[in-house]
Amino acid sequence: MRASQFFFNTQKEAPNDAELPSHILMVRAGLIKRLGSGLYSWMPLGLRVLRKVETIVRDEMNKAGALELLMPAVQPRELWDETGRWAVFGPQMLKITDRHSREFCFGPTHEEVITDIARSEVRSYKQLPLNFYQIQTKFRDEIRPRFGVMRAREFMMKDAYSFHTDFASLETTYANMYQAYSNVFNRLGLKFRAVKADTGAIGGDGSHEFHVLADSGEDGLAYCDTSDYAANVELAEALAPNVRGAATEVMRDVETPKQTSCEEVAALLNIGLDRTIKAMALIATLEDGSTQFNLLLIRGDHRMNEIKVNKLDGLHDFRFATEEEVRENLKCPPGFIGPVGVGAHVRVIADRTVAAMSDFVCGANKPKYHLSGVNFGRDLPEPSLVADIRNVVEGDASPDGKGILSLCRGIEVGHIFQLRTKYSEAMNATYLDEASQTQVMEMGCYGIGVSRIVGAAIEQGNDARGIIFPKSMAPFTVTICPIGYDKSEAVSAAANKIYADLNAAGIEALLDDRGERPGVMFAEADLMGIPHRLVIGERGLADGTVEYKGRTDAEAQMVALKNVVEFMQKVAL
């Protein structure tokens, strides 16, 4: 591509609403242009990158035996009513009405549509398994779109759905998709981790997320360096510690006139935060409609894991108690509450770590006081329930018993689910088995955020000069920067020949034939993330050389003019 025939719209200044490097650099490099809140046009340079990601995703899906189709973006309400998700999916769903007052949504996902296809077209076990996929625009009405394409309302997604006669078949395809996703991210040149994850609103059983590793990632990941264990912090199990130590202190009141947090209390008493317990009051609605007051106990230096808590019996869809409810049940304002002396109507739930503590500090259930030297069994009953309800921390034992956990940040770019029969049962997607008996299909679901991958790659690869794309994603492989292209026939002739030879060798070259100053050409190439640069000047030509510099190289090097194509084949392909 000749720069004079391309469209560049680079900017020197960062957009006012941009926070993350990817958002700033994608706008400055001219990859995207904002249309509205969470809505972006992919400009020619950005679309080249997006299509390269899409091509690799499509290739690996095809290799894995998936079949591409394309489903409507607009979906009728009736399908979503069958699964009950029209009412419960939430405000992220953009609902629209046509001229006949019929209700539709702009598809945030396509489980209902693909299940409708399967129940209409699949009759026999001989037609299964099947794995369909599409690469298509989705829309989710984010309450606060931000971070550019990382959390946009409209985005490009690859979503796949598989149908099976039994769970064993589903597990096979699930493993194939796991490997296909790993292949995608390896080919894209990204550092990533696949982690066990919660199934969330999609539902089902098994689930893995694929995260591009980046310090700016929204998700916390836990992994073990000495084993294959990796999980989202939301799901990673915190193992029970050793047996509880014996009591060595006498319980006593400690005056804490202004200290309401564990940090403040620990500082006042000059003790470690790990000797304190924080109590959280939660309200849960039971099946009969009544409410249960729960007191959750977490060690002072740990954080409650709401997903784990939500999975406990009797705590589904819990909420935090109001100040009035705390006072009514514990006769004390928040900030001084604890488990000692609570009534039988209060359900005390302790984290595994708390259950193993002795001589701890907690609220005294009276204003301006805490208790020190507290022990289970002696000063208060054993907890009603002991469970894993906290986030893991650096140094915790790995759940597989093969080492300790480390933490990092990640950007979720892929998610695979074993849906099982959640949607096929609701929509009566069945087949006839070998005995001509009707059976419900097993299902899997596999998503990749194609447009999000571009943003995640930039979060992982950038510096003060701009984007550092992996070679598989860069809009061009090499930029040819001729100094004085419009003034020197020798330079322009050499640049044109190198450009033609590189393209003939299968190397995507961008010839900057605009006659710009070297500094402008170099800065724009670095900003756009082009991995390689060739500089052609009269002085070098006189010596039979051109200057080469890789995007992340500290210094440039001279390459013989006659060997340029061979050299570039070695470093770029």
Side-chain angles (χ1 to χ4, degrees), residues 247-307:
T248 62
E249 299 180 10
V250 176
M251 186 175 71
R252 62 186 179 90
D253 283 347
V254 177
E255 190 173 4
T256 52
K258 297 181 180 179
Q259 291 76 20
T260 58
S261 69
C262 287
E263 291 79 4
E264 292 169 337
V265 172
L268 177 69
L269 301 181
N270 194 29
I271 61 173
L273 195 56
D274 60 352
R275 288 192 55 197
T276 66
I277 286 179
K278 52 186 169 186
M280 287 161 287
L282 306 182
I283 300 293
T285 301
L286 305 180
E287 292 184 0
D288 61 3
S290 62
T291 58
Q292 170 72 58
F293 187 90
N294 300 272
L295 196 64
L296 267 66
L297 307 180
I298 305 285
R299 201 172 76 182
D301 58 338
H302 290 162
R303 293 183 59 186
M304 183 182 82
N305 184 311
E306 294 191 17
I307 289 179

Side-chain angles (χ1 to χ4, degrees), residues 398-526:
S398 177
D400 63 2
K402 297 180 180 180
I404 62 172
L405 293 178
S406 297
L407 302 183
C408 65
R409 306 298 300 178
I411 301 167
E412 184 187 341
V413 289
H415 206 157
I416 59 178
F417 302 86
Q418 294 175 359
L419 294 176
R420 302 298 305 268
T421 59
K422 175 178 178 178
Y423 297 92
S424 51
E425 280 188 350
M427 299 183 67
N428 196 31
T430 61
Y431 68 95
L432 295 179
D433 64 15
E434 295 181 62
S436 296
Q437 298 296 309
T438 299
Q439 306 290 345
V440 176
M441 298 180 203
E442 293 271 355
M443 287 180 62
C445 171
Y446 321 93
I448 282 183
V450 177
S451 52
R452 201 164 203 246
I453 285 174
V454 179
I458 297 171
E459 288 299 322
Q460 191 174 88
N462 67 83
D463 61 14
R465 300 195 306 276
I467 299 167
I468 303 175
F469 271 126
K471 64 180 182 180
S472 61
M473 296 176 60
F476 299 97
T477 302
V478 56
T479 180
I480 303 169
C481 299
I483 300 175
Y485 182 88
D486 56 342
K487 298 176 182 178
S488 170
E489 290 187 7
V491 168
S492 61
N496 289 338
K497 184 177 187 309
I498 291 174
Y499 171 66
D501 290 346
L502 288 175
N503 282 324
I507 299 173
E508 290 181 309
L510 173 67
L511 173 57
D512 198 332
D513 59 350
R514 299 172 297 172
E516 291 283 2
R517 292 177 288 107
V520 173
M521 292 188 290
F522 299 167
E524 288 195 339
D526 285 349

Side-chain angles (χ1 to χ4, degrees), residues 23-292:
H23 189 187
I24 294 170
L25 292 173
M26 290 184 77
V27 173
R28 285 196 56 219
L31 273 64
I32 58 174
K33 181 175 177 59
R34 184 180 185 274
L35 175 64
S37 177
L39 303 173
Y40 292 89
S41 297
W42 285 81
M43 303 303 287
L45 191 73
L47 191 60
R48 289 181 68 91
V49 179
L50 187 67
R51 292 293 184 240
K52 289 188 174 186
V53 175
E54 184 180 320
T55 296
I56 290 176
V57 170
R58 178 176 283 110
D59 186 50
E60 289 299 331
M61 291 301 295
N62 292 342
K63 287 179 179 178
L67 303 171
E68 187 171 9
L69 47 62
L70 184 62
M71 293 175 277
V74 176
Q75 306 176 24
R77 171 178 177 166
E78 290 77 12
L79 288 180
W80 287 75
D81 279 336
E82 288 188 55
T83 60
R85 292 209 298 172
W86 184 267
V88 303
F89 196 87
Q92 278 192 331
M93 181 190 288
L94 179 64
K95 299 177 180 179
I96 52 182
T97 305
D98 70 4
R99 69 181 66 194
H100 302 293
S101 298
R102 293 175 297 206
E103 293 183 278
F104 297 82
C105 69
F106 195 116
T109 183
H110 275 69
E111 283 83 9
E112 281 80 3
V113 178
I114 196 67
T115 306
D116 180 63
I117 291 174
R119 70 179 175 182
S120 302
E121 302 299 328
V122 175
R123 292 287 178 265
S124 168
Y125 71 95
K126 296 180 181 180
Q127 296 172 272
L128 299 173
L130 285 169
N131 190 3
F132 298 111
Y133 80 95
Q134 64 174 349
I135 300 176
Q136 189 215 47
T137 296
K138 297 284 193 292
F139 189 94
R140 295 179 185 176
D141 197 5
E142 293 279 354
I143 188 171
R144 188 189 163 208
R146 61 194 189 279
F147 308 150
V149 300
M150 298 286 287
R151 193 170 286 277
R153 293 197 293 168
E154 183 179 283
F155 54 94
M156 184 70 70
M157 181 179 179
K158 187 285 301 176
D159 48 323
Y161 308 90
S162 62
F163 297 87
H164 310 268
T165 56
D166 54 34
F167 183 54
S169 174
L170 168 58
E171 286 186 306
T172 299
T173 296
Y174 187 87
N176 289 341
M177 288 295 97
Y178 184 101
Q179 185 60 54
Y181 276 38
S182 299
N183 295 344
V184 165
F185 296 117
N186 281 322
R187 286 180 60 182
L188 288 172
L190 298 173
K191 297 177 183 177
F192 74 98
R193 278 192 178 272
V195 302
K196 293 180 181 179
D198 186 70
T199 55
I202 299 297
D205 289 351
S207 171
H208 283 84
E209 294 172 347
F210 290 78
H211 288 260
V212 169
L213 304 184
D215 291 338
S216 58
E218 289 185 288
D219 293 295
L221 311 178
Y223 65 95
C224 180
D225 278 328
T226 54
S227 74
D228 294 331
Y229 180 83
N232 194 300
V233 168
E234 295 174 342
L235 194 68
E237 182 184 8
L239 298 181
N242 296 327
V243 178
R244 181 192 301 161
T248 62
E249 299 180 10
V250 176
M251 186 175 71
R252 62 186 179 90
D253 283 347
V254 177
E255 190 173 4
T256 52
K258 297 181 180 179
Q259 291 76 20
T260 58
S261 69
C262 287
E263 291 79 4
E264 292 169 337
V265 172
L268 177 69
L269 301 181
N270 194 29
I271 61 173
L273 195 56
D274 60 352
R275 288 192 55 197
T276 66
I277 286 179
K278 52 186 169 186
M280 287 161 287
L282 306 182
I283 300 293
T285 301
L286 305 180
E287 292 184 0
D288 61 3
S290 62
T291 58
Q292 170 72 58

